[in-house]
Every structure is written in C-alpha cells, then in structure tokens.
Amino acid sequence: MYYYSTRNKNEKACFATAALTGLAPDGGLFVPEEIPQYPAQVRSSLGTMDFCDIAFETIKPYVRDEIPDTVLADIVRSAFTFTAPLIPVANRYTLELFHGPTAAFKDFGARFMARSFSYLRRGEDRPLRILVATSGDTGGAVADGFFEVQGISVTVLYPKGRVTPLQERQISGLGKNISALAVEGSFDDCQRMVKAALADDGLKKKMALSSANSINISRLIPQAVYYSSSAGRAFAGRIDPDGEATPRVKGHSVVSAGKSDLPVTLCVPSGNFGNLTAGLYAMKMGAPVKRFIAATNINKTVPDFLESGEYLARRSQATISNAMDVGAPSNYERMAAHFSWEEMRRIILGVSVSDEETRETIARVHKDSGYFIDPHSAVGWKGVDKLHAENKLEDGAVGILCTAHPAKFSEVVRPITGDPPVPPSLALAMKRTVNSKTIPAEVPALIETLYTYN
Ligand SMILES: *Cc1c(COP(=O)(O)O)cnc(C)c1O
C-alpha cells in the first residue's frame, strides 16, 4: 500500500514515511492509494470478533509488508487494553470511546501511533524528538501514548493558563521522556512555533524531529477499528447493557434500544474531522454503517459545505465543546480526496448545535436517563434530536460516539448535573504534579530549550 498527497497524486510514500513525516512535503495530507475491503468472512463476523482481532484485520492492509503480522498483533494487543462498549441509553446507543488512559477517543490513535513509530524506527540509533502543539486533549493522549517508549521523547507545547487543571497534569505530570512547555500565548502560537522548529536547519542537524498532530495517518487508521466493531455489534444485535465503568447513576437501569439487524447510523461529534474520516474508511472497508451524522458546535464549516457545496474555512469561535473549535478542519482535504460533494451528501448528514442547546442536553439526558454526558458527546446527542425533529432520520439504530468522559470536562458538567463519577485513570492524573517550563511565545525560546535536552 502506498499513500499519496492530497495536493499531488505523484507525491507518494510508504506507510513508514507517511507516518514518520506526518505531512507530505508539498503540505498536503497523506491518503491511502485505495481503501481496502475486509475479506467476506471478516466482514460477516464483525459483530462477534474480539476488538483486537478486528483491529488487526482493519490495520493489516494499510501496513502490509512494513509491519509483519506477528508484530502488528503485538502492537494492537498492547495498544488497545481497554474497551469501547456500545450501550443502550434512551432510544439510542452510546459508543463510549473514553475508557483509555486519558479518557478521550484520542487514546486509540495515539497509542497505536507510539507503538508503530517505535517499530518503524527499529535499528535507528538517533533518538527521535516529537513536537506537539495542543489546545488540551491531544497533548495528554500523545504524552501518555509515548510515555516510556524507547528511543523517542516528546515535547508538548500548550497555551499557559488555557488548558484545564486536569489536562495540564496529563500533559506535564508524567516526566521521564515527556517534557512540557507552557507557552505564554495561544494555541495558534504553539502551532506556529512547532512548525518553525521542525523547519529549523540547525536543529535538524542536531536531532531527529517529527510531529504527532491529528493529521498523521497512523493516528487516523486505528480509529476505523471502533466503527467496524460497533457497527458490527449493532448489526448483530449485540450490545453491552452493563458496559464497564459507565458514568450512569448507580442503580439506574437503561431502557433497551432493542435488537438491530439494520446497518447503524453513527453520529460523530466533529472538529478537525479525523474521527469522521476514519469512519468513512471503515464504511468503505465494509462495516455495516448506513450513514454518518457530522455534528459540530457553531463552528459549522462542514455542515454548511454539505448544504451549499461551497467550502468556506473561517476563524474558529470559542465554545464549551472546545476540542471541536475548528473553523478550517484539516481532514476536509482527505474527505474531498476520496469523495465528491454529491457522494458526501449521500453518506453524511450535517448538523450544528449551540452552547445553550449543549447545556440543555447535558441536563436533559441526565434527568431522563441518569446518564452523564460530556459537552462534545452532547453536541452529538442534540444533533440526532434535531435531525429526528426534521424527519431526516429513517428507521434503524442510531449510535452516538461519546468522545470524552464527562469527568474530563467537569468545569462544564458540574454546574449542570453535579459531579460525574471520576474514572481511576483521571483520579490518578489529578494526583500528578505539574512540571512544565514556561517560555515566551517566540521561536528562539523554543529552539534554545530543545538544545538543552540533548
Ligand atoms: C479531538 C476531539 C474531538 C474532535 O475530533 P476530530 O477528529 O478533530 O473531529 C471531539 N471530542 C473530543 C472530546 C476531542 O478530544
């Protein structure tokens, strides 16, 4: 399998190059030359197969020849040590993607990326330093994914004072091969500084550098796995009424959403659209997905595009679902490389949700079903309600991807429902001490700091 740049079909790379460099040399995003198909017997067993077996079958065609089967099997077993339960709540399912170490779906991509980087760089004696700019969630997932991985160190840049206390501990509390820089500026400053450092000739001579942002293809592909596994389970009528550690009120039993033998409609709370793009890959591979819903907050560039056919990137606006505050979603370029506007309109329904609607939804879901939901997942929940009200959803099961644990966004959730139960991974992270270095939002300050590490 080779990958080509969304900006030039002749700019090709193997999986290792695409993963380790992140961005194509022409500034485009790497996409696979074709989306492979599941073998018939895998496709018909998605509802009963073990999650790691589905992960192996899903990822294998994308890395064939570059990661041997035995190594890939080990990588997925060590990356996916937690589950993604599909749970009936009220008249729909929630696909809980927050049972990993940092309590957000980004753990799936980051943990696979870290382990595959480690294998792809075997035999290299130069240590690799990964630079990552974060507005909150990505930094924690990448730090945790690469923690104690041999031969690789990570420097996370975050805007000082603009991440939550929990996120700051997830980013800066691990130590060892993970270092954290609190930048006196915005997320955009962090991103600009990372880009400049990656292009600095003096630095490149001194150390091997890479980045780990969400456009990396090795973070995207593993996200297709939970779509195939959940769609397969919904299709087979297999659900988890007692999924582990679900944040619902004790003693409360959820209403069954019923058996499904129809392809499922999956609603994806979206920002940069990496998650939804992974879903499109799973569907093309043969997962029984009928349709996707792209639910955004008021940063509705993609829903507007689906409506009008005109893509208009804009500045992002701040909301309470801030991991989705993206006005120019980078993965749009990938979606457009695989699908025309007409095709996208057939597969994806767009909807956008305001902060007020999000808060109202967090309250209502908790009151009606005893289920705690985080602001991002609440955007998905409300998106489904709105499409139902407009008669845009046909029969069949509907699942909502719950992208973060509600306790991760307790600043928003607490005043509405009281504190949701805190999962052990977050309780542990809260006990860590913040250990970061503050630097001004200037490129030389970053470069100077990086020199002191080696
Ligand atoms: C990153 C993130 C999103 C957005 O995912 P994209 O792949 O960027 O669309 C949604 N919810 C949470 C909690 C996130 O951390």
Side-chain angles (χ1 to χ4, degrees), residues 105-106 137 269-275 323-324 376 403-404 409:
F105 79 92
K106 291 186 172 75
D137 265 1
S270 294
N272 230 346
F273 281 79
N275 204 3
M324 312 197 306
H376 305 82
T403 51
F409 295 93

Side-chain angles (χ1 to χ4, degrees), residues 101 245 422-431:
V422 178
S425 64
L426 294 186
L428 206 69
M430 273 318 282
K431 288 204 201 101

Side-chain angles (χ1 to χ4, degrees), residues 3 13-23 30 63 66-67 112-113 116-117 120 128 130 210-213 215-219:
Y3 296 79
C14 61
F15 177 74
T17 305
L20 293 170
T21 57
L23 209 62
F30 284 115
V63 301
E66 294 184 70
I67 303 182
F112 177 81
M113 173 168 63
S116 58
F117 269 37
L120 294 170
L128 178 71
I130 289 175
S210 182
S211 76
N213 52 19
I215 47 112
N216 196 298
I217 191 76
S218 69
R219 270 180 66 181

